[in-house]
Amino acid sequence: MSRLIVVSNRVNPPADPGLGSTGGLAMALAAALREYSGVWFGWSGETTEHFTGQIRMQRVGGVTIALVDLEEQDRLEYYNGYANKTLWPLFHYRTDLTSYERSFDEGYARVNRRFAETLVPLLEPDDLIWVHDYHLIPMARELRKLGVKNRIGFFLHIPWPARRLLTTLPKHRALVETLFDYDVIGFQTEDNREAFEDYVIHEAHGSVAGPGRLTAFDHTVQVDSFPIGIDAQGFIEAAKSDEATQQFDRMQTSLAGRRMVLGVDRLDYSKGLEERFLAYEQFLIDHPEQQEDVFLLQIATPSRDEVEAYQEIRHRLDGVAGRINGEFATVDWVPIRYVNRGYRRDQLAGIYRAADVALVTPLRDGMNLVAKEFVAAQDPEDPGVLILSRFAGAADQMTDAVLVNPFSREDMSDAIRRALAMPLTKRRMRWERLLEGVKRDDVNAWRDRFVAALRGPPPEAANGDKP
Ligand code: GDG
């Protein structure tokens, strides 16, 4: 059986599954690779004075990892620069936060080249190579230049933006052209896949070459949507663990009979945290009778804090949470518990379980795994209600959630009221359907579907012979 070589910017499988790691990609890939023979290759997160291309192989949490150090300039131009100041905001529809700097382009190209040069000696002829996310879009092009003939797939964890937005990126065409060196390109949703096709047809003068196949730049690639899932079984078990139960009990005591509305996110402007706080404030204004019976617990783990836009959103959230608390709190009630630290994954599962309502309201999100984890962690006898932004990829699948427009405070305030008032039978019915989907479309199903596409058709089918 061929090995699976996974390539992503950072390589950080949790050493202990109970611990977890913040970030959807890490959790998903660790779960996907654990039962597969292969290697997970990427940046160690460390910098060195001069790039050497030396690899450190390790075994962590049942996964073989291969780490390479980058230079400080790489971190600034490639990671903080092109990845997190150019592509991330642009692909999340925030042109106002997008920097277009040539030095970032150069850093991005350099690191993709360095990754490819470092990976090549590790490769065997029938390895399947699976590259992840916006940091590494040109990786296949660099590998092909070095003579790699293996099948290479790419999966984008974040949204693919609308054509008009993408064209604000200098050299957008050159970037998209590099994608045509892959054999398979995967997106989270049909909507993203369509946006890509729209670009290819209208900007790159490409064409549809058959079902799920696009031709442009003299290459044909397979393009499909592969909605990512969670390790559902693992999460359900984590929610029943001792750690989770202890955390659940602690939460119950601290609730003191109040209802809890919960948010769990990386501290990122795409997650709609400020809009969420303001919508919750609107709810407090609309329903003064409920004020002291409810509180919002927002866990927001700091992330990418070297990038100014992240410092800025953190500062704004401190201000908004402080203002709302100052205005509405009483001597024995605080409306928002705002927490800037991470929790163990099993503790998180206990916190999800104790919540009456989850507010998952990103302004744009590739998928959003928190929505799925919340569902997996609920108590079947008394499940909580999921309020989900229609702009999260997860909304395509999770239609039994209360879907909201995260840009409208009134909409969200109404949704909170409805969710808190939802009778048990209705809650159970919706939750059961949601859970069924979370279990069926889990991370293993996602991996298996992608890897099957990456293997490609059997040789006789590829030659066009009838079976
Ligand atoms: C990207 C895309 C896509 C959060 N706080 C803690 C903690 N987390 C974990 C959650 C969840 C993960 O981080 C966040 O995943 P998301 O999917 O919500 O978001 P991104 O990090 O932006 O992920 C996203 C994903 O990739 C996968 O393709 O869904 O759209 O943006 O697993 O539980 N984990 C722990 N403590 C915390 O405090 N242990």
Side-chain angles (χ1 to χ4, degrees):
M1 194 156 121
S2 4
R3 296 189 309 170
L4 185 62
I5 309 295
V6 168
V7 185
S8 66
N9 168 56
R10 287 297 302 275
V11 177
N12 40 4
D16 146 18
L19 224 53
S21 34
T22 309
L25 186 145
M27 285 311 297
L29 291 187
L33 261 173
R34 212 165 290 131
E35 291 162 28
Y36 221 93
S37 104
V39 179
W40 183 358
F41 170 83
W43 179 32
S44 61
E46 306 287 317
T47 54
T48 166
E49 201 171 336
H50 296 292
F51 180 77
T52 62
Q54 255 177 14
I55 293 180
R56 290 199 302 282
M57 301 285 278
Q58 290 170 16
R59 187 113 183 118
V60 182
V63 176
T64 303
I65 62 174
L67 303 174
V68 64
D69 297 341
L70 293 175
E71 288 174 9
E72 181 60 16
Q73 200 185 348
D74 296 333
R75 196 170 60 82
L76 294 176
E77 294 174 353
Y78 147 82
Y79 180 67
N80 285 342
Y82 201 77
N84 287 330
K85 290 186 188 167
T86 307
L87 293 182
W88 177 274
L90 178 61
F91 281 35
H92 287 88
Y93 288 65
R94 294 297 300 268
T95 41
D96 58 320
L97 298 177
T98 307
S99 306
Y100 303 97
E101 286 186 30
R102 285 197 188 144
S103 64
F104 293 173
D105 288 13
E106 285 154 19
Y108 187 67
R110 181 175 65 245
V111 171
N112 272 271
R113 200 165 53 241
R114 287 180 164 174
F115 261 50
E117 285 166 358
T118 313
L119 180 63
V120 165
L122 285 185
L123 294 175
E124 290 169 16
D126 61 349
D127 284 345
L128 298 169
I129 305 169
W130 188 6
V131 179
H132 289 262
D133 232 3
Y134 58 101
H135 314 85
L136 299 172
I137 292 173
M139 179 83 184
R141 158 106 353 154
E142 297 299 334
L143 288 168
R144 299 288 184 223
K145 278 192 210 159
L146 297 169
V148 172
K149 300 269 187 299
N150 301 50
R151 304 248 324 155
I152 315 178
F154 177 77
F155 182 76
L156 184 68
H157 290 256
I158 66 174
W160 182 268
R163 169 160 58 101
R164 302 262 186 237
L165 267 174
L166 188 56
T167 52
T168 64
L169 180 73
K171 304 198 192 136
H172 53 88
R173 220 162 166 270
L175 183 73
V176 174
E177 183 174 357
T178 65
L179 278 169
F180 281 78
D181 276 312
Y182 288 97
D183 296 288
V184 181
I185 304 172
F187 296 101
Q188 297 273 25
T189 64
E190 266 305 286
D191 189 55
N192 293 165
R193 190 200 58 73
E194 279 168 17
F196 180 71
E197 186 175 305
D198 180 55
Y199 178 96
V200 168
I201 289 171
H202 293 101
E203 283 292 329
H205 310 298
S207 58
V208 177
R213 298 184 72 73
L214 289 179
T215 300
F217 307 105
D218 298 324
H219 285 82
T220 298
V221 289
Q222 189 183 337
V223 184
D224 208 344
S225 59
F226 299 86
I228 199 168
I230 61 163
D231 174 10
Q233 214 44 53
F235 212 84
I236 291 169
E237 273 153 35
K240 292 183 193 148
S241 65
D242 291 348
E243 275 293 336
T245 309
Q246 274 169 27
Q247 189 64 42
F248 175 81
D249 292 344
R250 263 183 80 179
M251 289 310 303
Q252 289 293 98
T253 312
S254 112
L255 286 173
R258 295 189 166 109
R259 325 277 311 276
M260 173 162 80
V261 178
L262 175 67
V264 175
D265 306 79
R266 271 189 313 99
L267 208 170
D268 193 298
Y269 50 78
S270 66
K271 303 292 181 186
L273 295 171
E274 187 176 355
E275 291 74 6
R276 187 180 306 167
F277 285 178
L278 295 173
Y280 172 70
E281 178 185 32
Q282 185 69 48
F283 167 80
L284 297 176
I285 295 168
D286 294 345
H287 304 283
E289 73 289 352
Q290 296 203 33
Q291 278 187 15
E292 298 201 26
D293 296 336
V294 179
F295 70 91
L296 168 65
L297 169 61
Q298 177 63 55
I299 298 176
T301 325
S303 135
R304 304 177 194 165
D305 44 17
E306 289 181 7
V307 176
E308 297 78 6
Y310 287 77
Q311 296 160 7
E312 164 80 0
I313 181 70
R314 183 163 184 183
H315 184 68
R316 291 179 70 87
L317 290 171
D318 287 347
V320 176
R323 183 185 59 72
I324 295 174
N325 279 342
E327 214 162 303
F328 291 86
T330 61
V331 285
D332 57 2
W333 171 69
V334 180
I336 303 182
R337 298 187 190 178
Y338 178 45
V339 182
N340 287 139
R341 51 158 283 188
Y343 283 83
R344 289 175 55 98
R345 179 165 176 263
D346 42 20
Q347 289 177 328
L348 206 56
I351 299 173
Y352 285 139
R353 202 178 177 89
D356 295 279
V357 175
L359 269 180
V360 180
T361 56
L363 306 179
R364 289 277 157 193
D365 216 331
M367 176 57 58
N368 195 295
L369 298 181
V370 169
K372 298 187 173 186
E373 292 167 359
F374 173 75
V375 167
Q378 293 310 295
D379 173 0
E381 297 307 317
D382 188 18
V385 179
L386 172 64
I387 297 180
L388 179 61
S389 160
R390 53 172 300 193
F391 302 116
D396 281 12
Q397 299 168 303
M398 305 182 86
T399 50
D400 282 295
V402 175
L403 296 181
V404 288
N405 176 354
F407 295 95
S408 162
R409 280 181 214 176
E410 280 98 348
D411 260 27
M412 288 215 276
S413 162
D414 287 351
I416 297 171
R417 181 194 48 76
R418 271 181 64 204
L420 286 168
M422 196 178 286
L424 180 60
T425 44
K426 205 164 169 190
R427 274 192 278 136
R428 269 207 198 128
M429 202 173 66
R430 283 172 169 249
W431 171 76
E432 277 163 12
R433 288 199 294 248
L434 285 169
L435 183 68
E436 204 184 298
V438 167
K439 282 194 197 157
R440 184 190 56 231
D441 303 323
D442 72 351
V443 74
N444 297 324
W446 168 76
R447 173 202 59 198
D448 292 345
R449 255 196 81 218
F450 194 95
V451 172
L454 186 52
R455 279 189 205 293
E460 62 274 22
N463 292 335
D465 294 344
K466 297 241 162 63

